[in-house]
C-alpha cells in the first residue's frame, strides 16, 4: 500500500512537472471552477519571508474553496538557503526557488509576489534583518504589493510580537505587514507609487497561528481563542477528485530544492487565524464578514453578476461553448466598469474562460529557443477553433512589428490555421534574465530601477502576439507569448520559454582557482555564440600583480549555439594574493563580459540567467599531507571540486560502495553536508565508516541538521546536534587549543584565517559531547554565549573523527583562503611530522 501511495505522489508530481513546462489548458471542470471564481470579488494576501514559509493548505482553501483571489507575498526569493538537488546557491538558488513557488501556485491556485529583499542567510533578530535589508525599501515594497494587489484581507504567517524567538526574517515579515497595513492608505507615504497605482486600505489583518507558536498542542488548547477564526481546511473538491490537503501537499512538494517532496494528506484539519487589526469581527466564523464580495461591491457590477451567476448555475459540462453569448455580454459590461482594478482583474479571468469554452488553441512557437538582437527568427502560429461557435480571425499583431497583419478569416470548426512570420529581434530589446539580477545587489537588497517591475515573480517576456478575434460581433484580443515547442524521443512533447540572449557570452571553467604555490595554471574560457558568424577576440582582465599570457586570442564561430574554447596561462605572484579575473569578448568594438547560465530541472521551466562572468584567483600559502580523498555526497556542494583545486585526488563514494575493502586506501574521507539527513543507506553503512576510523582513517563529517537524522550513532562517542549557529561571518573566533596538531599542521591556523568569511561562520553545531571530544574553536553572535561546537575532534582507535559545522560549503566557492588552509589541516590529521611539530 505504501508503495502505491508513493507511486501516486510521483505520478501527480510528474503531471505537475509536465504542466509547469507548457501552457495551461482548462478542462470542463476547471472552466466551471473559473466561472465560480469569476463571480467572487474577494482578495487575500498571505505574507511571509521565504519560499516554503507559506501555508499551502490555507492558500489553497482561500483560492479553491472561498474562491478568493489569493496571493503569497514572499519577502525574499530564498537566496540564502541550501540546495538539495544541485550545485546552485545564492542568486541562482533564488531563481530556482522563484520558479518552485510559481509551480506551487499553479497547483494551489494562488498568485505570487516578492519584494526586493535579499535572503542574506539566517538572522537571529529582526533588528539585524531590517538593518541589512534596508527597512525603508522593503516596507515600500510591501506597501506597493498592498496598493497593487488591493487585498480585502491580509494574513501573516508569523507573529510580530515575538522578536528573537524565530528567524529574524520571519518576524520582520510580520512587523512590516503590521506597519504597511496602516500606511498603504496614506497618500503622503511613498507617494511615488501613486504615479502608477492608488492608495488602498485592507479591511482586516490576521495572524495564521497554530499550536507551534504556543509551544505545544496542550498549551494551544488552553489558549483564549475568542479573537480567532477557525475553519476546516480538509474539505473535498469533487471537480478535482482531491481534498484541499492533497492539493496543498502537491503544491508544497514543488519545493524540491528544499527537500519538501512529501506524501499527500486527507481528512479534517482545523486552521486558525487570529484577528489583529481592522474592521472588527461580528462574531461569525467568516474572515470576510461585513465585506461585500459579490459583483454588487462595484458600480455597474450588479448586471454582470446576474449574467455570470446564471452561467454558473446552469453550466454545461458537455458543451461549455453554449455559454459564449452570455460570456461575451458579461465581457462587454466589464469593459465599461469605472473601477480600473476589478476591470483589469476580471477581464483577464473572463478572457481565459472565453478561450477555454470555445476550445481555442492558439500558440506561437519560434524555430529556436534563443535568439540575439538583430537576429532573424521564424515564428509558427497555430490557431484552431475546436467549437461550433462562429469566430473570425481579424488580424494579429507581433509586438516587434509596427503594423499588424490583416487576415479576416473564418475559423471553421476544428480546421487548423497556420501562419509563418520571420521576425528580426530589435536591437533595443532587453535580454531574458531575471530583472532583479540586472544590477549588482547589496547584501540585503536587490536594485530594481523600474517601479512597475518590483514584486513581479518573473521578467515580462520580450515578444508576444496579439490575436484579434471577433466573436458574436464583439472584438476580443487574446495575447500569447512566443515559446519554443519541441520533442525528445525519451520525453515526448516539451516546451521552453523563448529567450533573448547576447550575441556572445563567455564563461570560465571554475568560479575559484586556488594556486597552492607560485606555479602557473592553464585556465580555460568557453565562448558561446548567440548568433551565426561570430568573429572577434577575447582577453582576460586580471589583478595587477598577476600575469596572463597571451594578451588576447582570436575567436571565430560559424554557427549559433556552438562554442570555442581558448586557454590562457595565468601566473600567480610569489606571495599570497587574491583577486578577480573576467573574460572580455570584443565583437566589432562591443564588449561582452556576461556568462550565460542555464538551469534545467524537470519540475520548473528552463531558465536562462545572465550574470557577470567572474572568477576568483587565490595564491594561497598552503601545505597539505595525503592525496587520496574519498567524498560521500550529501545535499549538494562544490567541496570535491574545491579540494581538487588544491591538488587532492578526490573520489566520489556512492552509498552502496561504503564497505571496508573500498575505504582503506583513502588518506581521509569527507562526508558532504546533510548527508546523514538525506541518505537512508548511512543508517546501515555508518559502522563501516567508524571501523575505517578505528583502523587509522581520518573521517571529516560536515554539518547536518538536528532533525531527521538517518542514524542514531552519528559518531563513535556521544554527540548531540543542536540548532546553534553563528550567523555573523565576522564574529570573533577564539582558538581554544592553540597547541593542538590540527591547528598547527601542516598549516599554522591563526585568527587571520577567519578573515573574509561569507554569510555565516557555521550552523547546527553540536552542543553536547562526551569527554573523548576536544573542541578547538569558540565563537558567538553578539549578545550570545560562546559556542564551542563548530569544530570538535576525537581519537577513535588509531584514527581521527572530526565533526564540523563550519560553513566550508559556502567559503570554498567564495575562495576564502583560511577555509582552505583549515580544511587541509583536517584532512592531514594524524599525519604529523613529530620533529616538525617540535620545531
Amino acid at each position: 500500500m505504501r508503495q502505491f501511495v508513493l507511486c501516486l505522489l510521483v505520478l501527480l508530481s510528474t503531471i505537475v512537472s509536465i504542466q509547469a513546462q507548457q501552457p495551461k489548458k482548462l478542462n470542463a471542470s476547471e472552466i466551471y471552477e473559473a466561472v465560480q471564481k469569476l463571480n467572487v470579488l474577494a482578495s487575500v494576501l498571505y505574507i511571509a519571508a521565504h519560499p516554503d514559509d507559506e501555508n499551502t493548505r490555507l492558500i489553497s482553501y482561500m483560492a479553491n474553496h472561498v474562491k478568493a483571489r489569493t496571493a503569497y507575498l514572499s519577502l525574499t526569493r530564498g537566496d540564502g538557503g541550501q540546495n538539495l538537488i544541485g550545485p546552485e546557491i545564492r542568486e541562482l538558488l533564488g531563481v530556482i526557488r522563484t520558479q518552485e513557488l510559481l509551480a506551487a501556485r499553479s497547483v494551489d491556485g494562488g498568485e505570487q509576489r516578492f519584494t526586493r529583499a535579499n535572503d542574506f542567510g539566517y538572522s537571529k533578530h529582526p533588528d539585524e534583518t531590517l538593518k541589512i535589508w534596508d527597512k525603508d525599501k522593503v516596507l515600500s515594497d510591501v506597501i506597493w504589493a498592498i496598493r497593487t494587489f488591493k487585498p480585502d484581507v491580509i494574513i501573516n504567517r508569523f507573529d510580530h510580537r515575538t522578536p528573537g524567538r524565530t528567524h529574524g526574517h520571519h518576524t520582520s515579515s510580520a512587523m512590516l505587514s503590521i506597519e504597511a497595513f496602516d500606511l498603504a492608505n496614506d497618500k503622503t507615504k511613498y507617494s511615488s507609487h501613486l504615479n502608477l497605482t492608488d492608495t488602498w486600505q485592507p479591511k482586516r489583518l490576521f495572524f495564521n497561528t497554530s499550536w507551534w507558536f504556543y509551544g505545544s498542542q496542550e498549551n494551544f488548547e488552553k489558549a483564549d481563542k475568542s479573537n480567532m477564526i477557525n475553519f476546516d481546511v480538509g474539505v473535498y473538491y469533487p471537480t478535482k477528485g482531491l481534498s484541499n490537503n492533497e492539493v496543498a501537499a502537491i503544491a508544497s512538494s514543488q519545493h524540491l530544492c528544499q527537500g519538501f517532496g512529501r506524501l499527500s494528506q486527507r481528512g479534517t484539519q482545523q486552521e486558525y487565524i487570529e484577528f489583529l487589526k481592522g474592521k472588527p469581527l461580528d462574531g461569525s466564523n467568516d474572515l470576510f464578514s461585513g465585506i461585500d464580495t459579490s459583483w454588487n461591491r462595484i458600480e455597474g457590477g450588479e448586471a454582470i453578476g446576474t449574467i455570470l451567476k446564471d452561467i454558473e448555475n446552469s453550466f454545461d459540462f458537455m458543451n461549455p461553448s453554449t455559454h459564449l453569448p452570455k460570456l461575451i455580454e458579461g465581457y462587454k459590461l466589464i469593459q465599461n466598469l469605472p473601477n480600473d482594478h476589478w476591470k483589469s482583474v476580471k477581464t483577464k479571468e473572463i478572457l481565459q474562460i472565453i478561450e477555454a469554452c470555445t476550445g481555442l488553441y492558439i500558440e506561437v512557437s519560434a524555430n529556436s529557443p534563443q535568439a540575439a538582437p538583430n537576429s532573424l527568427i521564424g515564428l509558427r502560429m497555430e490557431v484552431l477553433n475546436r467549437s461550433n461557435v462562429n469566430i473570425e480571425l481579424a488580424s494579429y499583431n507581433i509586438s516587434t512589428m509596427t503594423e499588424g497583419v490583416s487576415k479576416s478569416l473564418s475559423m471553421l470548426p476544428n480546421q487548423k490555421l497556420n501562419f509563418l512570420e520571420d521576425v528580426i529581434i530589435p536591437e533595443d530589446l532587453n535580454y531574458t534574465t531575471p530583472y532583479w539580477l540586472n544590477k549588482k545587489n547589496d547584501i540585503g537588497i536587490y536594485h530594481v530601477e523600474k517601479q512597475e517591475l518590483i514584486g513581479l515573480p518573473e521578467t515580462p517576456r520580450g515578444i508576444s502576439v496579439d490575436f484579434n478575434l471577433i466573436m458574436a460581433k464583439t472584438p476580443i484580443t487574446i495575447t500569447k507569448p512566443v515559446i519554443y515547442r519541441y520533442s525528445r524521443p525519451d520525453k515526448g512533447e516539451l516546451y521552453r520559454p523563448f529567450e533573448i540572449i547576447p550575441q556572445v557570452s563567455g564563461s570560465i571553467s571554475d568560479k575559484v582557482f586556488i594556486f597552492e604555490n607560485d606555479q602557473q595554471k592553464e585556465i580555460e574560457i568557453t565562448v558561446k555564440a548567440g548568433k551565426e558568424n561570430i568573429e572577434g577576440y577575447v582577453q582576460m582582465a586580471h589583478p595587477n600583480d598577476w600575469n596572463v599570457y597571451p594578451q588576447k586570442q582570436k575567436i571565430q564561430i560559424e554557427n549559433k549555439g556552438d562554442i570555442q574554447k581558448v586557454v590562457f596561462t595565468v601566473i600567480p605572484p610569489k606571495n599570497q594574493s587574491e583577486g578577480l579575473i573576467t573574460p572580455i569578448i570584443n565583437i566589432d568594438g562591443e564588449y561582452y563580459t556576461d556568462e550565460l547560465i542555464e538551469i534545467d530541472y524537470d519540475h520548473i521551466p528552463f531558465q536562462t540567467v545572465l550574470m557577470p562572468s567572474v572568477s576568483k584567483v587565490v595564491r594561497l600559502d598552503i601545505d597539505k599531507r595525503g592525496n587520496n580523498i574519498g567524498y560521500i555526497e550529501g545535499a549538494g556542494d562544490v567541496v570535491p571540486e574545491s579540494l581538487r583545486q588544491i591538488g587532492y585526488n578526490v573520489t566520489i563514494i556512492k552509498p552502496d560502495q561504503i564497505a571496508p575493502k573500498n575505504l582503506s586506501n583513502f588518506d581521509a574521507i569527507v562526508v558532504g553536508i546533510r548527508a546523514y539527513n538525506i541518505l537512508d543507506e548511512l543508517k546501515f553503512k555508518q559502522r563501516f565508516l567508524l571501523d575505517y576510523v578505528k583502523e587509522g582513517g581520518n573521517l571529516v563529517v560536515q554539518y547536518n541538521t538536528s532533525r531527521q537524522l538517518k542514524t542514531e550513532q552519528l559518531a563513535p562517542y556521544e554527540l548531540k546536534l543542536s540548532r546553534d549557529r553563528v550567523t555573523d561571518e565576522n564574529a570573533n573566533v577564539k582558538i581554544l587549543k592553540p597547541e593542538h596538531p590540527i591547528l598547527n599542521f601542516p598549516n599554522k591556523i591563526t585568527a587571520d584565517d577567519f578573515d573574509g568569511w561569507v554569510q555565516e561562520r557555521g550552523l547546527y553545531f553540536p552542543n553536547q559531547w562526551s569527554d573523548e571530544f576536544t573542541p578547538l574553536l569558540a565563537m558567538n553572535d553578539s549578545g550570545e554565549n560562546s559556542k564551542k561546537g563548530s569544530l570538535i575532534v576525537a581519537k577513535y582507535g588509531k584514527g581521527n573523527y572530526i565533526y564540523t559545522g563550519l560553513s566550508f560549503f559556502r567559503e570554498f566557492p567564495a575562495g576564502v583562503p583560511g577555509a582552505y588552509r583549515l580544511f587541509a589541516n583536517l584532512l592531514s590529521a594524524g599525519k604529523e611530522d613529530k620533529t616538525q611539530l617540535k620545531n
Side-chain angles (χ1 to χ4, degrees), residues 412-641:
L412 300 177
N414 218 28
Q415 299 297 307
K416 183 167 56 175
L417 299 175
N418 287 327
F419 308 103
L420 301 177
E421 292 283 354
D422 288 334
V423 174
I424 295 177
I425 305 297
E427 190 172 1
D428 59 352
L429 203 61
N430 292 330
Y431 298 136
T432 307
T433 190
Y435 67 86
W436 62 94
L437 299 180
N438 280 335
K439 290 195 168 229
K440 183 175 175 58
N441 60 281
D442 292 335
I443 185 174
I445 199 84
Y446 285 109
H447 297 291
V448 181
E449 291 182 342
K450 290 186 177 181
Q451 179 66 45
E452 55 267 39
L453 287 177
I454 293 174
L456 296 182
E458 297 181 284
T459 304
R461 290 291 160 182
I463 305 181
S464 60
V465 181
D466 291 337
F467 290 87
N468 304 308
L469 310 174
I470 297 176
M471 302 182 188
K473 299 181 180 180
T474 303
I476 298 285
T477 297
I478 295 176
T479 302
K480 294 294 180 180
V482 175
I483 52 88
Y484 175 65
R485 181 164 64 103
Y486 65 108
S487 66
R488 279 177 43 181
D490 58 334
K491 292 193 175 182
E493 184 178 68
L494 296 171
Y495 285 79
R496 273 181 58 173
F498 174 73
E499 296 165 320
I500 311 300
I501 61 172
Q503 64 173 322
V504 69
S505 58
S507 61
I508 306 179
S509 55
D510 291 292
K511 290 303 176 186
V512 176
F513 292 91
I514 304 297
F515 292 73
E516 57 181 312
N517 50 45
D518 61 0
Q519 297 301 303
Q520 65 189 36
K521 283 191 176 183
E522 306 295 303
I523 293 182
E524 184 178 80
I525 292 176
T526 299
V527 179
K528 185 173 183 178
K531 61 186 300 186
E532 286 78 16
N533 301 316
I534 291 295
E535 193 169 342
Y537 65 86
V538 60
Q539 59 192 108
M540 185 184 289
H542 58 85
N544 290 333
D545 56 342
W546 294 64
N547 290 300
V548 172
Y549 178 82
Q551 182 178 355
K552 62 182 180 180
Q553 297 195 55
K554 184 178 179 179
I555 54 169
Q556 189 170 1
I557 307 175
E558 183 176 349
N559 299 313
K560 182 176 84 170
D562 281 354
I563 62 172
Q564 180 178 337
K565 297 185 177 184
V566 295
V567 176
F568 288 89
T569 300
V570 178
I571 305 169
K574 295 291 183 182
N575 300 316
Q576 185 159 315
S577 172
E578 57 186 278
L580 302 175
I581 57 174
T582 297
I584 302 175
I585 306 169
N586 185 323
I587 307 294
D588 297 327
E590 291 190 40
Y591 294 92
Y592 298 85
T593 58
D594 283 344
E595 174 183 5
L596 188 70
I597 303 167
E598 297 179 341
I599 300 175
D600 189 8
Y601 292 101
D602 286 342
H603 67 301
I604 60 174
F606 190 95
Q607 297 295 298
T608 294
V609 184
L610 279 171
M611 294 187 69
S613 183
V614 177
S615 293
K616 189 173 184 178
V617 287
V618 181
R619 164 65 173 96
L620 190 59
D621 180 14
I622 190 172
D623 198 1
K624 57 187 178 62
R625 296 294 185 274
N627 183 51
N628 294 319
I629 307 298
Y631 198 88
I632 300 171
E633 293 179 305
D637 58 55
V638 294
V639 173
E641 294 88 338

Side-chain angles (χ1 to χ4, degrees), residues 634-688:
D637 58 55
V638 294
V639 173
E641 294 88 338
S642 301
L643 296 180
R644 293 183 183 113
Q645 284 276 356
I646 54 176
Y648 285 107
N649 176 29
V650 181
T651 301
I652 301 299
I653 303 173
K654 300 296 182 183
D656 59 1
Q657 296 173 331
I658 301 175
K661 65 178 181 179
N662 297 328
L663 306 180
S664 58
N665 291 329
F666 291 114
D667 295 304
I669 293 175
V670 181
V671 182
I673 61 173
R674 296 181 67 177
Y676 288 96
N677 297 128
I678 66 171
L679 297 180
D680 292 322
E681 298 93 331
L682 288 182
K683 178 178 181 179
F684 311 103
K685 300 289 188 174
Q686 178 70 348
R687 60 190 180 95
F688 297 132

Side-chain angles (χ1 to χ4, degrees), residues 74-85:
S74 177
L75 267 59
T76 77
R77 297 176 186 265
D79 329 71
Q82 287 89 49
N83 184 0
L84 296 184
I85 61 173

